[in-house]
Structures are given as structure tokens and as C-alpha cells.
């Protein structure tokens, strides 16, 4: 590798969330601003703004970084702004982007709803890239772990929501 060039690695995430509900019921839940706000509260967002406009979903939330390793907290701060954007390209598929405004990195992927037995599965595939020398790989692992935990909270909240 020549001086000044940096190899960019990436971390892939695949997370599946099965529901005992139809694809249509899960899609309806994901289209409900009240559900999205409930998820933000369950994820312990300090503040949040949920906007659903047709096929576009935008969730702007501030999350505490307590428990984040010190090397990462120097980059993300005491709380971090996370903006999640879903652009639905069909009733069952969306392009998905996570942004941390003002911070290095890219998080892009897809979201798909598919039938599974008597229920449905929400599958999220993401690629996390952080181009920071020396700690980029560690940050990718940390971000992937935080997003996975956030999706686990969303899944539990969704199961509760659909049971009502």
C-alpha cells in the first residue's frame, strides 16, 4: 500500500425480526408514527423527532453514549445524534440509511418484509464503514453492536405493539 492510502474495511450486519403477524400488519405498524415514537422511548432517546411522509420515514434521535468505550466517546461525545432514513421502494422493501451527522462513516442497507409461516420477518441488511485510521474497525464493530441492540429493542417493542 502506498503512503497516504488507507484500505477501507466494512462491517456487515444482518438482523432478522420475526413477528406473529402478517406482512401487511407489520408494514402498518412500521407506518404508524406512534409505534416509531414508542421505539425511540424504549431505546432511551434523550429527544427524538419522527416524520413519516408517504414512502419516506425519518427518525432523528439523540442517544446517550454512557457505556461506550472512551476511545469512541472522544469521537461521538456524551450523546450522539442518529438519523435513520427509510425510503420505501415497494410495500415490502426499503432503502435504509443511518447517519451520525458531523461524524465520519457510512451506514447503508436495505429492509425487507417477507412472509414466514403464519407470520412475517423483517430483515435488515446493513454495511457499516468508518474511515478513521487505526480505530475505524473498532468503531465499525461498536456501531454494528449498538445498531443491533437498538433493533432488538425495536423488535421487543414491535411484539408488544402487535399483541395489543
Amino acid at each position: 500500500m502506498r503512503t497516504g492510502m488507507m484500505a477501507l474495511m466494512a462491517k456487515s450486519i444482518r438482523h432478522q425480526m420475526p413477528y406473529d403477524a402478517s406482512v401487511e400488519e407489520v408494514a402498518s405498524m412500521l407506518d404508524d408514527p406512534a409505534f416509531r415514537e414508542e421505539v425511540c422511548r424504549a431505546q432511551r432517546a434523550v429527544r427524538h423527532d419522527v416524520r413519516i411522509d408517504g414512502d419516506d420515514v425519518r427518525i432523528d434521535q439523540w442517544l446517550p453514549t454512557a457505556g461506550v468505550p472512551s476511545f469512541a466517546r472522544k469521537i461521538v461525545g456524551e450523546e450522539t445524534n442518529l438519523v435513520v432514513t427509510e425510503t420505501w421502494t415497494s410495500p415490502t422493501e426499503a432503502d435504509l440509511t443511518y447517519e451520525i451527522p458531523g461524524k465520519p462513516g457510512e451506514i447503508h442497507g436495505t429492509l425487507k418484509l417477507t412472509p414466514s409461516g403464519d407470520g412475517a420477518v423483517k430483515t435488515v441488511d446493513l454495511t457499516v464503514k468508518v474511515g478513521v485510521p487505526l480505530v475505524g474497525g473498532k468503531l465499525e464493530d461498536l456501531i454494528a453492536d449498538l445498531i443491533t441492540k437498538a433493533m432488538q429493542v425495536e423488535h421487543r417493542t414491535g411484539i408488544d405493539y402487535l399483541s395489543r
Side-chain angles (χ1 to χ4, degrees), residues 57-71:
V57 176
R58 185 175 190 277
I59 302 164
D60 186 350
Q61 58 186 335
W62 287 85
L63 301 168
T65 57
V68 170
S70 59
F71 80 89

Side-chain angles (χ1 to χ4, degrees), residues 13-15 96 108-112 123-127:
I13 303 170
R14 170 169 268 215
H15 189 75
L96 187 57
H108 299 282
T110 58
L111 179 163
K112 293 183 182 175
T123 302
V124 175
D125 286 300
L126 292 172
T127 301

Side-chain angles (χ1 to χ4, degrees), residues 44-47 61-66 68 72-82 100-101 103:
R44 297 191 172 102
V46 176
R47 55 192 176 278
Q61 58 186 335
W62 287 85
L63 301 168
T65 57
V68 170
R73 192 160 321 137
K74 289 177 187 174
I75 295 170
V76 297
E78 293 299 314
E79 58 183 33
T80 192
N81 183 210
L82 181 65
I100 304 172
K103 308 298 182 203

Side-chain angles (χ1 to χ4, degrees), residues 72-104:
R73 192 160 321 137
K74 289 177 187 174
I75 295 170
V76 297
E78 293 299 314
E79 58 183 33
T80 192
N81 183 210
L82 181 65
V83 179
V84 181
T85 306
E86 297 171 7
T87 304
W88 288 84
T89 56
S90 79
T92 59
E93 295 184 21
D95 292 325
L96 187 57
T97 303
Y98 286 73
E99 287 180 75
I100 304 172
K103 308 298 182 203

Side-chain angles (χ1 to χ4, degrees), residues 1 5 16 26 40 55 71-72 78 101 125 135 145 153 158 161:
M1 188 181 315
M5 294 187 70
Q16 295 187 308
V26 174
C40 288
D55 294 332
F71 80 89
E78 293 299 314
D125 286 300
V135 296
D145 184 53
V153 170
Y161 176 96

